[in-house]
Amino acid sequence: MVQVRPFPGIRPAADLAAQVACLPYDVVNSTEAQALAADNPYSFFHIDKAEIDLPHDLSPYDPQVYQKAAENFQDFLAKGWLVKEQQPLLYLYELTMNGRSQTGLVATTSIDDYTSGKIKKHEFTRPEKEVDRIKHIQACDANTSPIFLSYRDEDHIQRLISQWQDQKAPVYDFTSYHEVQHRVWVIDDSAIIADLTAAFDEVPALYIADGHHRTESAVKVGLEKRANGEQSSESDYFLSIIFPESQLAIWEYNRVLNVELPQDFFSQLEQAFDVAISGVKKPVAQGQIQLYLDSKWYTLTIKEAVIPTDAVGRLDVSILQKQVFEKIFGIMDIRTDKRIDFIGGIRGPEELERLVDSGQWHLAFSMYPTQMEDLLAVADAGEIMPPKSTWFEPKLLSGLFLHDLETR
């Protein structure tokens, strides 16, 4: 069963939480981060994307960036903008978007549970992205961004969490990006902490919802410290926020392509799909994909004959990849092929129209969201989804929780 434990968290002073908290480092580029942090010295972007405080022509992967991140981190601590707890605690983090709420338990989880497969993944990672976060963690000697984990619902855990929320006041309560409300509670009762950690002892597995690169990087840093005799009581664990699967919503992850269309493009499509001009911009059910081309929306309905039975192959994203990207356009590796890009569902189908109508891209595919049960099934089978199969909203903000590895 999985290990979930309290930790002495580092978090913002109560009156600064809204100013410190920022979007995750991997959903904005350097220019966007600099704009979002403009005139805000408290923004966690100064730590998570420290290149914004260095010359514009410097690579975000330059050694100076990681050094600056560490300097800014220590500066935030020295000024009291970030404060470290004196004892190990647990926290609750609730996000409410469009009337829907999800509450995660903020804790640390075990690198051994990850290496043994108790913390399950559904995506491959890219080495260059791992190296970036490894260097960042090493420079700061802290997990600066949480891993977004999920678990199959457990009534006892939910009762404990709900009771604490009902009986206690949050230490943070603010609204930020996309009008999402963020609330945080501190669990400082040793009996409740013991009950929650014991309850997770009965949970057979955790699932990475978002943050595969952060997980891989955190685990590799911990294993390296262990191998070098530099480990601490904290470095064998990494920062996580753990949500019950029933509360999570996966959004669509759309695709845009720059390709030459064969003359018989639609004939080739009809080998795997029923094709109709519909004007519909978003699929209404699994098994449907919307195509935007030449200012028209088409509905592509997947034919039963081409739907595999395995957990990965039956996904809409897998069928699109095999039947269209590979067979028609010869795009074999969507992680590296420059003819394809991915657009998070939060931007809506209007962004797809804009990208195609402006000539930046030739055509777009609007997807039906992968479902949580699909993600869990793939992870349980030990399989891997195609890249960019899931987009979670709302995003967990960075800067609200940090985990000191305590090996300085």
Side-chain angles (χ1 to χ4, degrees):
M1 303 305 175
V2 297
Q3 302 176 63
V4 168
R5 64 195 292 273
F7 67 105
I10 297 173
R11 59 187 182 88
D15 59 336
L16 294 179
Q19 292 163 276
V20 170
C22 70
L23 289 170
Y25 74 94
D26 53 355
V27 302
V28 296
N29 60 35
S30 301
T31 302
E32 291 168 332
Q34 188 168 48
L36 290 168
D39 303 320
N40 180 10
Y42 309 106
S43 173
F44 195 70
F45 280 132
H46 294 289
I47 295 170
D48 232 11
K49 293 187 76 68
E51 67 269 19
I52 68 173
D53 294 332
L54 294 168
H56 292 246
D57 58 352
L58 195 69
S59 166
Y61 309 114
D62 189 282
Q64 295 178 66
V65 175
Y66 306 108
Q67 180 182 348
K68 186 64 174 176
E71 291 173 359
N72 287 346
F73 179 32
Q74 292 304 313
D75 188 49
F76 273 46
L77 288 167
K79 291 178 176 176
W81 299 351
L82 291 174
V83 180
K84 184 174 179 178
E85 307 280 12
Q86 296 302 305
Q87 59 183 327
L89 302 171
L90 295 173
Y91 309 86
L92 299 178
Y93 181 16
E94 180 194 73
L95 303 93
T96 302
M97 182 179 191
N98 299 329
R100 180 189 178 109
S101 294
Q102 60 189 59
T103 300
L105 180 71
V106 186
T108 55
T109 50
S110 168
I111 62 176
D112 293 320
D113 283 348
Y114 179 74
T115 58
S116 67
K118 293 179 183 178
I119 298 177
K120 301 185 179 186
K121 61 184 179 182
H122 66 268
E123 287 184 5
F124 285 128
T125 56
R126 295 171 61 177
E128 67 273 17
K129 290 191 174 184
E130 285 181 32
V131 170
D132 168 53
R133 283 302 102 176
I134 286 172
K135 290 180 177 178
H136 197 277
I137 294 169
Q138 290 173 330
C140 296
D141 201 35
N143 301 140
T144 53
S145 297
I147 314 303
F148 186 168
L149 298 179
S150 184
Y151 62 98
R152 296 183 185 277
D153 289 35
E154 293 285 345
D155 290 342
H156 179 53
I157 293 174
Q158 292 315 113
R159 282 196 297 272
L160 290 171
I161 288 173
S162 296
Q163 287 171 5
W164 191 267
Q165 288 180 285
D166 291 341
Q167 296 170 7
K168 305 292 182 178
V171 294
Y172 308 146
D173 186 346
F174 63 92
T175 299
S176 190
Y177 309 94
H178 304 297
E179 296 304 308
V180 177
Q181 183 184 20
H182 302 265
R183 297 203 295 172
V184 170
W185 289 259
V186 177
I187 301 179
D188 54 5
D189 184 304
S190 59
I192 300 300
I193 291 174
D195 285 346
L196 280 167
T197 55
F200 273 97
D201 285 341
E202 303 302 316
V203 173
L206 300 175
Y207 300 83
I208 301 174
D210 197 9
H212 284 78
H213 289 93
R214 276 167 279 172
T215 307
E216 198 72 39
S217 303
V219 168
K220 286 180 176 175
V221 169
L223 291 174
E224 182 179 22
K225 287 180 179 295
R226 184 185 293 178
N228 294 338
E230 299 173 349
Q231 71 191 102
S232 71
S233 59
E234 295 299 325
S235 64
D236 284 340
Y237 297 84
F238 57 90
L239 178 62
S240 302
I241 306 181
I242 315 165
F243 294 85
E245 58 93 9
S246 64
Q247 293 184 9
L248 300 183
I250 301 178
W251 290 44
E252 63 274 16
Y253 218 147
N254 300 318
R255 279 91 164 112
V256 289
L257 270 67
N258 267 338
V259 289
E260 292 294 328
L261 294 182
Q263 290 186 347
D264 62 345
F265 174 57
F266 282 98
S267 296
Q268 291 193 54
L269 278 181
E270 288 169 352
Q271 295 178 23
F273 306 92
D274 293 319
V275 182
I277 297 177
S278 64
V280 177
K281 299 181 181 183
K282 297 181 69 169
V284 297
Q286 203 161 11
Q288 291 183 355
I289 300 167
Q290 306 307 125
L291 163 66
Y292 187 66
L293 174 65
D294 294 333
S295 300
K296 297 185 182 69
W297 282 101
Y298 299 80
T299 296
L300 312 182
T301 304
I302 302 169
K303 293 182 177 180
E304 288 288 338
V306 302
I307 302 177
T309 57
D310 64 286
V312 176
R314 71 188 184 204
L315 299 174
D316 289 356
V317 287
S318 298
I319 294 169
L320 179 67
Q321 180 173 317
K322 180 178 180 180
Q323 299 294 335
V324 179
F325 300 163
E326 293 180 11
K327 285 188 176 181
I328 299 179
F329 299 120
I331 298 174
M332 309 307 291
D333 187 351
I334 63 174
R335 293 183 300 168
T336 59
D337 200 301
K338 301 302 183 185
R339 294 175 292 170
I340 187 169
D341 201 3
F342 306 90
I343 310 299
I346 190 69
R347 300 190 180 189
E350 294 74 20
E351 176 68 2
L352 302 182
E353 292 176 329
R354 186 190 70 80
L355 291 170
V356 174
D357 291 344
S358 68
Q360 296 178 58
W361 297 87
H362 293 161
L363 66 162
F365 293 92
S366 175
M367 309 299 297
Y368 189 77
T370 302
Q371 302 300 295
M372 274 301 298
E373 54 263 33
D374 293 323
L375 184 154
L376 300 181
V378 169
D380 282 337
E383 300 290 343
I384 298 296
M385 286 184 177
K388 311 297 185 183
S389 294
T390 57
W391 178 278
F392 283 90
E393 287 288 350
K395 295 296 182 188
L396 311 183
L397 296 186
S398 293
L400 293 177
F401 313 97
L402 291 84
H403 173 225
D404 189 348
L405 300 182
E406 299 183 348
T407 54
R408 283 181 293 276

